[in-house]
Amino acid sequence: MFSHDETPYDWVGAWSEKRASLSSDSVGLVDATTGERFTYAELDRRANRVARLLREEGVAEGERVAVLSRNRPELVDLFFATAKTGGVLAPLSHRLAADELVEMLDDVDPALLVVEAPFAALAAEVLAHDAREFDCSVVALPAEDADATTEDAIPDREAWDDALPADDSPVETADLSMNDPHLFLHTGGSTGVPKETVLTHGSVLWNSFNTITAWGLRPEDVTPMVFPMFHTGGWNVITVPLFHLGGTVVLAREFEPGEVLRLAESEGATVLVAVPAVLRMMATHDDWETTDLSTLRFVKSGGGPCRESVMEAWWDRGVDLSQGYGLTECGPNNFTMPEGWPREKADSVGVPAMHVDARVVSDDGDRLPAGEIGELELASPHAAAGYWRNPEETRETFGDVSASSEGRSPSDRSSGQSPREDEASGGSEDEQSESSGGWVSTGDLARRDDEGYVYIEGRKKNMYVSGGENVYPAAVEDRIADHPNVEEVVVVPVPDDQWGQVGKAVVQGDESLTLEELTEFLDGRLARFKRPRHLAFVDEMPTSGPQKIDRQAVEERFGEA
């Protein structure tokens, strides 16, 4: 992995105060739920109050602040405040069950847990759980759309407004290096339990650099931020890069497609990044044709393949829509479209960004030539430091990473101990020197064309073999999605006596579609061995994360012939 400078600098973590000194009166954040608007000067003062709260609650450098909340300004306050104090912000998904949250919180071991009122009962169940091992203070956030008494479900909790110090003057900042952790963001684990990805100040900063340079972001840019803030999309896709420049981020407790359209027009949005499902729902919304989208400079799709029909709907409105690619472990913004890119490259995610290297490798780790499909590997200074307290999966994904699994104090750094060593890598220096050399294994299959454009072919684990031929579901799904009766589709493998495995198309759409009709439609579009032999329907695709299709749930339900 790349080694960031370990020397402490005053500017490391000084996000809000630096931006306030440069863009004091510019609006950095809009709360669409309440209508409040916050300048960068106000955001810095708010962060100072929260920094004092963290210190009063005993959150020392490297210690974690866990949050169970929807998107709201207080999460931004906590991001800026932990940056100042050296704490680590660990937002958790409120969509998880109590059993899952207990296991995650035991792993994170927070010094403070912040809970928004709608999730007080869930938090209370977690805090009373027999398996609970962590011990921390609890602060309750009020919510405009929740009964205030729900906060009382949590015993021994403080109210946010009561706990928050009034003093908003500048605070003494921590002695931090680029190697110190700033964010824990959870992602899927091989055991089914989410694992925490350790993002350092350097990781966050370099992703911001890459995003700004690759996408051409500007200080005057405005975006509705539709990803949840327990997801890397909520922070690193667009929020932090715009804070870096002095742009404006619009957030809300809940976003639905019509509301995004309304805000795009009323706030004069210039950029938008969303998952394909959200972009599709916006393009089919009743207000689609009447919404003024003229201020949008570009739209990016991420989190899965964007269907051609969706892209064409946005192009027809004069909006430059292209696909991106990223993951919590690296970036997540790794690719960009060159100026004047041709539409025939729309199926690609573009070419590597300024400070990103990408390669496609075989199972043996050999680089593959253009046109061949293999695993995508990435290298960049914006890669994460590893997984928290998970050396085995850290080695599998990050190779020779020497990541910090514990936030260390300045005294640890002065001893020469790198904050990127120990538990997260789980290997000795000799073991690390023989590993992959800093390439992050994405688990995604990809190919590169002769001009360097990269095409994602699906998850490595989703590929199946039918009659000796490799089948990549993403490629099959793209063709099926062209059928007018198909809104969304997932192809999963099912057992077959003759071919070993064949595909089953699970479709959200018009259930009058028959397998025979679909097979006829795919004639000339897909090789025979790729065509699904079974068809099933769902009213709505199961999702995980920010409207991302949960393929595992689909396969568990439909993975039998």
Side-chain angles (χ1 to χ4, degrees):
M1 293 294 294
F2 290 79
S3 177
H4 304 315
D5 193 340
E6 296 167 32
T7 306
Y9 296 103
D10 289 342
W11 53 266
V12 176
W15 285 94
S16 62
E17 60 197 85
K18 286 283 188 177
R19 182 41 61 193
S21 70
L22 297 169
S23 312
S24 177
D25 296 330
S26 297
V27 174
L29 186 69
V30 177
D31 184 350
T33 298
T34 64
E36 293 179 283
R37 309 176 82 84
F38 304 95
T39 66
Y40 279 105
E42 290 170 328
L43 289 174
D44 187 49
R45 290 194 293 269
R46 290 169 62 94
N48 289 334
R49 295 180 67 191
V50 176
R52 287 186 168 85
L53 169 64
L54 298 184
R55 285 177 171 153
E56 287 181 4
E57 294 291 343
V59 182
E61 286 184 41
E63 292 189 326
R64 279 73 62 198
V65 179
V67 185
L68 201 60
S69 174
R70 298 167 299 176
N71 294 0
R72 53 185 302 143
E74 288 83 357
L75 270 79
V76 174
D77 300 337
L78 283 163
F79 174 86
F80 287 142
T82 50
K84 289 173 181 281
T85 63
V88 180
L89 181 61
L92 303 174
S93 172
H94 49 75
R95 298 168 181 162
L96 296 173
D99 286 359
E100 295 170 302
L101 286 170
V102 167
E103 191 165 352
M104 291 178 67
L105 283 163
D106 281 344
D107 187 38
V108 170
D109 191 19
L112 177 67
L113 173 62
V114 179
V115 181
E116 189 189 19
F119 313 109
L122 175 61
E125 186 178 353
V126 169
L127 293 167
H129 202 286
D130 291 340
R132 173 192 170 190
E133 296 178 359
F134 70 95
D135 184 33
C136 67
S137 302
V138 181
V139 175
L141 276 173
E144 307 81 5
D145 55 350
D147 184 347
T149 60
T150 59
E151 298 172 28
D152 297 332
I154 307 174
D156 302 321
R157 57 98 181 108
E158 289 184 272
W160 178 267
D161 291 339
D162 294 339
L164 202 61
D167 187 357
D168 63 4
S169 63
V171 297
E172 182 180 351
T173 54
D175 184 15
L176 297 171
S177 84
M178 297 282 277
N179 275 355
D180 283 302
H182 187 196
L183 284 174
F184 278 11
L185 296 175
H186 55 76
T187 186
S190 59
T191 63
V193 177
K195 53 187 181 290
E196 296 291 343
T197 307
V198 181
L199 299 185
T200 66
H201 286 265
S203 302
V204 175
L205 186 65
W206 272 103
N207 176 75
S208 186
F209 283 148
N210 275 329
T211 307
I212 291 167
T213 56
W215 296 357
L217 297 181
R218 305 169 184 173
E220 61 269 22
D221 277 332
V222 177
T223 190
M225 206 285 295
V226 299
F227 293 96
M229 284 180 155
F230 57 75
H231 186 272
T232 187
W235 296 105
N236 294 314
V237 166
I238 197 76
T239 298
V240 175
L242 285 185
F243 286 159
H244 200 168
L245 282 170
T248 304
V249 176
V250 183
L251 55 75
R253 309 301 170 271
E254 307 288 347
F255 264 139
E256 56 87 24
E259 177 73 354
V260 181
L261 286 170
R262 184 187 69 78
L263 288 171
E265 179 174 309
S266 64
E267 295 292 339
T270 58
V271 295
L272 173 66
V273 187
V275 297
V278 170
L279 297 175
R280 175 177 58 80
M281 288 187 286
M282 291 175 69
T284 56
H285 195 275
D286 290 343
D287 296 336
W288 171 250
E289 294 294 342
T290 58
T291 300
D292 182 2
L293 301 176
S294 61
T295 58
L296 279 172
R297 240 180 36 257
F298 68 83
V299 172
K300 281 281 185 182
S301 171
C306 191
R307 308 303 181 200
E308 185 176 346
S309 60
V310 175
M311 301 185 78
E312 287 179 346
W314 284 85
W315 294 340
D316 289 345
R317 291 297 314 273
V319 178
D320 179 16
L321 170 62
S322 61
Q323 301 192 75
Y325 170 87
L327 62 165
T328 307
E329 291 86 345
C330 194
N333 300 328
N334 295 290
F335 294 90
T336 185
M337 285 296 196
E339 291 184 13
W341 62 275
R343 286 281 166 86
E344 58 264 26
K345 303 288 189 180
D347 287 345
S348 81
V349 295
V351 300
M354 278 288 291
H355 305 291
V356 178
D357 285 334
R359 68 182 184 184
V360 177
V361 299
S362 67
D363 289 341
D364 296 328
D366 297 325
R367 191 188 293 262
L368 294 173
E372 293 195 22
I373 295 174
E375 183 174 4
L376 177 66
E377 293 188 338
L378 300 167
S380 173
H382 71 199
Y387 298 122
W388 173 253
R389 293 176 175 169
N390 198 330
E392 183 177 343
E393 293 216 42
T394 293
R395 282 193 295 271
E396 183 177 335
T397 298
F398 297 91
D400 70 347
V401 63
S402 50
S404 172
S405 63
E406 304 268 358
R408 288 187 168 80
S409 67
S411 61
D412 293 320
R413 281 197 301 276
S414 64
S415 68
Q417 180 80 40
S418 168
R420 280 181 164 246
E421 294 175 1
D422 287 350
E423 284 183 61
S425 67
S428 68
E429 288 185 13
D430 289 340
E431 289 172 331
Q432 292 167 9
S433 66
E434 297 174 0
S435 62
S436 63
W439 290 94
V440 177
S441 299
T442 67
D444 284 314
L445 293 166
R447 62 181 170 86
R448 178 179 55 84
D449 69 16
D450 291 332
E451 296 175 84
Y453 287 78
V454 173
Y455 298 76
I456 305 300
E457 300 292 343
R459 292 292 291 169
K460 189 175 181 179
K461 65 181 180 181
N462 291 336
M463 187 201 80
Y464 62 93
V465 180
S466 184
E469 298 281 359
N470 293 343
V471 180
Y472 305 100
V476 180
E477 291 159 3
D478 280 343
R479 295 295 177 264
I480 296 174
D482 290 336
H483 194 286
N485 288 356
V486 175
E487 295 177 18
E488 190 54 82
V489 58
V490 170
V491 172
V492 299
V494 296
D496 184 82
D497 291 339
Q498 182 176 2
W499 304 111
Q501 289 179 307
V502 295
K504 175 187 280 188
V506 181
V507 169
Q508 175 184 324
D510 188 341
E511 296 189 19
S512 66
L513 178 66
T514 65
L515 181 62
E516 291 73 21
E517 181 184 349
L518 181 61
T519 301
E520 182 178 350
F521 175 78
L522 295 174
D523 187 25
R525 298 169 185 257
L526 274 179
R528 292 179 63 87
F529 70 87
K530 296 181 183 180
R531 300 175 200 167
R533 302 299 178 92
H534 303 274
L535 180 63
F537 291 90
V538 291
D539 292 333
E540 188 173 355
M541 290 290 180
T543 58
S544 63
Q547 294 293 322
K548 193 173 182 179
I549 292 175
D550 188 341
R551 299 187 67 97
Q552 184 176 348
V554 175
E555 188 161 356
E556 287 174 356
R557 180 179 172 188
F558 294 99
E560 297 294 333

